[in-house]
């Protein structure tokens, strides 16, 4: 008999915080900028928790290296930036359908655990990451994509509002976080820093302005 997953004692469901959407922080490393042509090479998803005081924190990260899909393009300039050798013999990478299936399975589990109706992608320049997620899902024929088809939460805009910064490194520093230049452009590292920035802004807002009382109600079934 499999164990029924539950939230840790210090956490409460996310359902009534973002109108029934579960924020999942995602970062991708790719072989270029075109989600339809360039390969998805690494994807990381960071799962958050919410405390009784409304504060968010980063709990765990799922990071997967991805094999370039058949016929994909690889821009040498992009590979130079992220430092990925897609065909390195020691690079343990999964086929795209397996990688996306694993990510989506965990996201769906978290959605259910938090009493939410679907996930919403949080990212730094979130439209870029969301585009690659949806393009990969379409290539793999995955119908149960848990992410909202077009909405996202972008930490570029949030950081500009909260800290007057748009670059992730500078936003992290403004939030009082450490930034490791050598670790940057790894999907896991960038996703974790993005998650910390997102939580910092959300918690700062909670402490200074709070959210309307109506947000304490469980969302209805509307989209």
């Amino acid at each position: 008999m499999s164990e029924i997953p539950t939230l840790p004692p210090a956490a409460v469901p996310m359902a009534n915080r973002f109108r029934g959407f579960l924020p999942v922080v995602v970062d991708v490393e790719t072989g270029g900028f075109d989600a339809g042509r360039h390969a998805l090479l690494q994807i990381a998803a960071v799962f958050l928790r919410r405390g009784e005081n409304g504060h968010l924190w980063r709990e765990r990260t799922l990071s997967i290296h991805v094999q370039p899909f058949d016929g994909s393009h690889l821009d040498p300039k992009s590979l130079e930036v992220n430092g990925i050798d897609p065909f390195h013999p020691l690079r343990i990478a999964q086929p795209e359908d397996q990688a996306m299936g694993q990510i989506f399975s965990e996201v769906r589990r978290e959605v259910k655990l938090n009493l939410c109706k679907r996930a919403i992608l949080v990212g730094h320049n979130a439209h870029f990451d969301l585009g690659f997620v949806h393009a990969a899902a379409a290539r793999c024929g995955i119908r149960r994509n848990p992410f909202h088809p077009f909405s996202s939460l972008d930490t570029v805009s949030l950081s500009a509002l909260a800290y007057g910064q748009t670059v992730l490194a500078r936003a992290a520093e403004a939030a009082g976080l450490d930034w490791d230049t050598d670790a940057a452009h790894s999907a896991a590292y960038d996703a974790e820093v993005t998650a910390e920035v997102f939580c910092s802004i959300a918690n700062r807002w909670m402490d200074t302005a709070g959210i309307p009382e109506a947000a304490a109600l469980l969302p209805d079934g509307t989209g």
Side-chain angles (χ1 to χ4, degrees), residues 135-156:
R139 278 193 299 269
C140 298
I142 299 176
R143 296 181 180 179
R144 295 182 60 212
N145 184 340
F147 286 101
H148 195 287
F150 54 84
S151 293
S152 61
L153 299 175
D154 190 359
T155 52
V156 170

Side-chain angles (χ1 to χ4, degrees), residues 133-191:
V133 166
H134 286 326
R139 278 193 299 269
C140 298
I142 299 176
R143 296 181 180 179
R144 295 182 60 212
N145 184 340
F147 286 101
H148 195 287
F150 54 84
S151 293
S152 61
L153 299 175
D154 190 359
T155 52
V156 170
S157 299
L158 293 173
S159 296
L161 176 66
Y163 300 122
Q165 300 291 346
T166 57
V167 176
L168 181 57
R170 293 182 178 178
E173 291 170 352
L177 305 171
D178 293 329
W179 175 261
D180 185 349
T181 302
D182 293 334
H185 300 297
S186 155
Y189 181 79
D190 286 1

